[in-house]
């Protein structure tokens, strides 16, 4: 039985890799950092080492260098990393790696590459249950606020997504629901705790506070690179959300925000009355922000963990308009011009107004008053922290 040592500082990756390779007959042990990986290497004596490049503390290249030069080992080494920098890849091969696997990649592709090195026919080592399962380039936490959602939670869609997209962790925040939402969420996460968790707020604090609590909870998880949020009704679907993640991964943006702008090839539907109200509110918001964003209120956003910690540290002053407050906080923190350069507004391909929305026409009138409250608070009461 061939032995594999996997070294990666992201538990979501290690758990998926360990289960898959164990299921198809390999003996595998895992280490969450380079130093402990090298210690395990001596006692475990693996046939193959799979190592990530970008790890806290000792990097993957340092681990490889130690194995090759200090330990004088010719063990097979495979790199599995989201780092696609050409110089890094060349450095890896110069140090003596046998393969470089770029994330995202499927579990079955990993199996095939290992089988090739061992001289095993890959078809004997493929796992049909892992078909389509992808290890992502980065680990992403997604907050999904829920208030009385027991009849609208699309459990199958959430389960299917986490099964196929390894590296995502969904955190459902129960915002003091008075129906059976909490029980539905607990059942959804049962047996899937590594990928789906439930954070319970005993009292209803509104969507903004629910998202804030969820973000701060996820920010404690060191393996997560990005944190975002998404509506429970999936009015923005996972494919669009994943596109937001791909944009922030390949750019210097700190926030990528979905936008429900109507355009060719996009399926954007709203009730006609809501469309008129939205346009009016957006015009007011643009004037308050002094930034020309088309849709601050879309419930799909992704941001790097550092800025998520900063933007969600203090409570929001309004119940529904926390999205606007995030943009205002960015402006106060970085200054207007820099804030604009750090925020990307990305059009969605699909957005559907879901039945059962809790925002009434009467609430829309209250929004105007809350916008005035935001303008006064952030322009006159909060001091700028321009970096």
């Amino acid at each position: 039985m061939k032995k594999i040592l996997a070294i990666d500082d992201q538990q979501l990756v290690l758990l998926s890799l360990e289960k898959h390779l164990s299921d198809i007959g390999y003996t595998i042990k895992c280490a969450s950092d380079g130093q402990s990986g090298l210690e395990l290497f001596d006692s475990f004596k693996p046939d193959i080492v799979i190592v990530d490049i970008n790890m806290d503390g000792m990097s993957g290249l340092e681990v490889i260098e130690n194995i090759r030069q200090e330990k004088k080992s010719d063990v097979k080494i495979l790199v599995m990393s989201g780092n696609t920098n050409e110089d890094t890849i060349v450095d890896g091969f110069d140090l003596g790696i046998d393969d470089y696997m770029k994330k995202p990649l499927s579990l079955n592709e990993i199996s095939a590459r290992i089988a090739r090195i061992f001289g095993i026919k890959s078809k004997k080592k493929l796992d049909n249950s892992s078909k389509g399962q992808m290890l992502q380039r980065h680990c992403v936490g997604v907050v999904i606020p829920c208030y009385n959602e027991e009849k609208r939670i699309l459990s199958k869609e959430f389960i299917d997504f986490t099964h196929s997209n390894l590296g995502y962790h969904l955190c459902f925040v129960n915002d003091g629901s008075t129906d059976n939402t909490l029980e539905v969420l607990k059942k959804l996460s049962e047996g899937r705790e590594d990928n789906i968790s439930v954070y319970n707020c005993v009292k209803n604090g509104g969507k903004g506070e629910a998202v804030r609590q969820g973000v701060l909870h996820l920010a404690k998880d060191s393996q997560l690179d990005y944190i975002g949020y998404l509506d429970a009704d999936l009015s923005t679907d996972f494919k669009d959300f994943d596109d937001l993640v791909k944009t922030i991964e390949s750019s210097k943006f700190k926030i990528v925000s979905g936008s429900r702008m109507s355009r060719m090839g996009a399926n954007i539907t709203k009730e006609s009355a809501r469309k008129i109200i939205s346009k009016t509110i957006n015009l007011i918001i643009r004037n308050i922000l002094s930034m020309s964003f088309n849709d601050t209120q879309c419930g799909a956003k992704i941001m790097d963990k550092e800025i998520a910690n900063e933007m969600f540290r203090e409570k929001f002053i309004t119940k529904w308009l926390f999205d606007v407050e995030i943009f205002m906080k960015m402006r106060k923190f970085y200054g207007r011009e820099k804030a604009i350069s750090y925020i990307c507004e990305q059009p969605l391909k699909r957005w559907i107004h879901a039945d059962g929305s809790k925002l009434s026409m009467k609430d829309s009138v209250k929004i105007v008053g809350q916008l005035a409250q935001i303008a006064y608070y952030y322009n006159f009461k909060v001091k700028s922290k321009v970096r």
Side-chain angles (χ1 to χ4, degrees):
M1 189 177 288
K2 299 295 185 180
K3 297 189 293 184
I4 298 173
L5 171 62
I7 307 172
D8 197 304
D9 61 355
Q10 293 179 312
Q11 196 68 13
L12 283 171
V13 172
L14 286 179
L15 288 169
S16 301
L17 199 61
E18 183 177 26
K19 182 181 185 306
H20 173 68
L21 294 178
S22 296
D23 286 348
I24 59 177
Y26 294 114
T27 298
I28 178 170
K29 289 193 176 182
C30 300
S32 58
D33 62 80
Q35 189 59 50
S36 58
L38 289 174
E39 292 170 5
L40 192 54
F41 178 90
D42 292 329
S43 59
F44 184 49
K45 302 188 185 310
D47 299 294
I48 282 183
V49 174
I50 301 175
V51 62
D52 186 23
I53 290 294
N54 298 332
M55 297 187 291
D56 290 337
M58 183 180 290
S59 72
L61 289 178
E62 290 174 313
V63 171
I64 297 164
E65 185 175 20
N66 186 287
I67 291 173
R68 290 289 187 245
Q69 297 181 10
E70 298 295 324
K71 299 184 184 298
K72 306 296 183 185
S73 173
D74 60 356
V75 67
K76 300 296 183 182
I77 300 177
L78 284 72
V79 169
M80 180 182 67
S81 178
N83 189 328
T84 58
N85 180 273
E86 182 181 353
D87 291 337
T88 301
I89 296 171
V90 171
D91 286 344
F93 280 105
D94 285 344
L95 287 170
I97 67 171
D98 296 274
D99 202 353
Y100 198 106
M101 302 181 289
K102 299 177 184 178
K103 297 177 189 175
L105 79 160
S106 71
L107 289 178
N108 279 336
E109 181 183 340
I110 296 171
S111 301
R113 289 174 182 261
I114 293 172
R116 177 185 61 80
I117 288 178
F118 282 142
I120 303 169
K121 288 185 178 180
S122 60
K123 65 181 180 180
K124 291 184 179 180
K125 283 293 179 183
L126 289 180
D127 181 7
N128 287 331
S129 67
S130 297
K131 189 174 182 179
Q133 287 191 297
M134 302 291 294
L135 285 174
Q136 305 303 309
R137 188 175 172 188
H138 294 95
C139 287
V140 180
V142 186
V143 175
I144 302 167
C146 302
Y147 176 69
N148 290 352
E149 299 279 2
E150 66 167 311
K151 296 180 180 178
R152 296 204 305 168
I153 293 174
L154 304 172
S155 297
K156 184 179 184 303
E157 283 82 347
F158 291 118
I159 292 170
D160 288 348
F161 180 78
T162 54
H163 177 77
S164 299
N165 297 272
L166 309 172
Y168 273 89
H169 182 94
L170 307 184
C171 176
F172 290 87
V173 179
N174 177 49
D175 186 23
S177 299
T178 57
D179 63 359
N180 291 318
T181 294
L182 182 58
E183 287 69 28
V184 172
L185 294 178
K186 286 180 178 178
K187 185 176 180 181
L188 175 60
S189 67
E190 189 175 345
R192 307 179 184 91
E193 289 82 3
D194 294 323
N195 300 99
I196 299 176
S197 61
V198 179
Y199 186 91
N200 185 42
C201 299
V202 178
K203 293 182 179 180
N204 174 253
K207 182 179 178 181
E209 182 59 14
V211 172
R212 192 181 79 90
Q213 292 288 342
V215 167
L216 294 177
H217 173 67
L218 286 181
K220 298 173 185 175
D221 190 340
S222 61
Q223 70 178 318
L224 297 179
D225 301 298
Y226 304 108
I227 299 176
Y229 55 92
L230 192 63
D231 289 333
D233 58 21
L234 291 180
S235 49
T236 300
D237 65 17
F238 277 121
K239 189 176 185 308
D240 262 330
F241 189 84
D242 197 44
D243 285 342
L244 301 183
V245 173
K246 288 174 182 175
T247 296
I248 201 168
E249 284 179 328
S250 59
S251 69
K252 293 184 179 180
F253 294 122
K254 295 185 179 294
I255 297 177
V256 179
S257 177
S259 175
R260 299 160 292 184
M261 294 185 294
S262 297
R263 61 187 181 87
M264 291 288 286
N267 182 13
I268 309 294
T269 65
K270 292 184 185 180
E271 298 167 342
S272 57
R274 287 177 67 92
K275 191 179 292 187
I276 294 170
I277 292 169
S278 293
K279 285 185 176 181
T280 303
I281 291 174
N282 282 338
L283 181 61
I284 298 171
I285 290 172
R286 290 172 73 169
N287 283 313
I288 290 173
L289 291 175
S290 296
M291 297 188 285
S292 57
F293 295 111
N294 290 289
D295 184 12
T296 59
Q297 294 305 97
C298 179
K301 289 180 176 62
I302 187 73
M303 57 196 75
D304 71 41
K305 189 161 68 174
E306 179 187 359
I307 203 63
N309 253 324
E310 182 65 39
M311 295 300 108
F312 286 87
R313 179 179 296 132
E314 297 178 0
K315 284 189 175 184
F316 299 105
I317 64 169
T318 60
K319 185 176 181 179
W320 297 304
L321 300 176
F322 72 100
D323 302 85
V324 179
E325 293 191 55
I326 291 171
F327 284 63
M328 289 291 281
K329 286 181 179 184
M330 285 289 288
R331 197 185 80 178
K332 295 298 253 184
F333 195 70
Y334 287 110
R336 180 178 174 276
E337 296 304 319
K338 205 177 250 189
I340 290 173
S341 71
Y342 283 152
I343 303 171
C344 171
E345 188 175 29
Q346 182 165 303
L348 302 173
K349 295 183 179 71
R350 172 193 172 275
W351 186 86
I352 305 296
H353 168 65
D355 293 335
S357 173
K358 301 170 186 64
L359 193 64
S360 67
M361 298 290 285
K362 184 178 179 180
D363 291 331
S364 299
V365 175
K366 293 180 182 178
I367 285 175
V368 177
Q370 290 188 13
L371 286 171
Q373 186 182 359
I374 289 172
Y376 173 75
Y377 182 81
Y378 286 98
N379 285 325
F380 300 103
K381 296 192 74 175
V382 177
K383 292 182 179 180
S384 297
K385 303 178 184 179
V386 179
R387 282 188 167 185

